[in-house]
Amino acid sequence: MAMAYCSVDEVIDMIKDDLMNQIIGNSYIEDVEERKEALRPLTEDAIRDADAEIDGYLMKRYPVPMAPIPAVVTKYSKDIAIYNLVSRSGLDTGDRESNYLTRYKNAIAFLTKVAKGDVDIVTEAVTKQQTAATGFSISCSPRLFSRSSMRGY
């Protein structure tokens, strides 16, 4: 898998053991390690989708994929990836899965603010001045008349 904003292990570690079988969906897997292995390709796809979604919001203002990766981007990548996994089998909004939906909505709200310019993500590679410089620029034609060029008229 190409450079991602979070790792497969980080996402899998955030999922409760009993929820793993629900996400996998085929059959009940008793062994936790086997469950994690079965979940790995699904998690890779979920992370890829999450990162593409994040890049869609960030590309207006930042070069993507971001490197180094800010911690806030990693956090929201994990939240979106888990939501992608849990929503595969349908989300029960009255149960604990509503927490995943809430985290997903918070991630999208944050990314929307970043895209609008209400919030900045400053990385080590991008200074505040560089971030500000990407917003807009003004240019004009050279000045035709000045005090020195009009002297004597």
Side-chain angles (χ1 to χ4, degrees):
M1 189 162 126
M3 169 85 161
Y5 292 138
C6 66
S7 73
V8 172
D9 291 331
E10 286 175 316
V11 173
I12 290 175
D13 288 345
M14 292 178 68
I15 300 171
K16 298 205 183 290
D17 288 343
D18 59 329
L19 185 57
M20 288 182 189
N21 278 313
Q22 182 180 337
I23 293 169
I24 296 166
N26 295 341
S27 60
Y28 183 80
I29 300 172
E30 185 73 33
D31 183 58
V32 176
E33 291 308 314
E34 284 181 41
R35 255 186 273 167
K36 287 181 179 182
E37 279 308 307
L39 196 57
R40 189 167 286 282
L42 300 174
T43 305
E44 289 172 354
D45 289 343
I47 290 171
R48 207 173 0 263
D49 291 347
D51 291 354
E53 190 168 356
I54 290 169
D55 285 348
Y57 284 95
L58 298 182
M59 69 188 338
K60 286 177 64 176
R61 301 190 59 233
Y62 300 97
V64 292
M66 296 186 93
I69 302 166
V72 68
V73 173
T74 298
K75 178 208 180 309
Y76 288 129
S77 179
K78 290 186 287 189
D79 289 346
I80 294 170
I82 289 174
Y83 171 79
N84 290 344
L85 285 169
V86 172
S87 64
R88 288 180 78 249
S89 59
L91 207 59
D92 182 2
T93 56
D95 201 10
R96 69 172 174 208
E97 283 85 14
S98 66
N99 180 44
Y100 299 114
L101 177 61
T102 300
R103 291 174 74 147
Y104 173 77
K105 286 181 178 180
N106 290 343
I108 297 306
F110 175 81
L111 293 168
T112 300
K113 288 178 183 178
V114 171
K116 287 181 181 177
D118 295 340
V119 176
D120 283 328
I121 299 174
V122 179
T123 65
E124 295 168 17
V126 180
T127 65
K128 288 185 181 184
Q129 291 79 15
Q130 289 170 322
T131 302
T134 61
F136 65 92
S137 66
I138 299 175
S139 63
C140 61
S141 302
R143 189 172 181 180
L144 296 176
F145 302 101
S146 68
R147 288 180 189 231
S148 60
S149 70
M150 297 298 291
R151 186 156 289 171
Y153 291 102

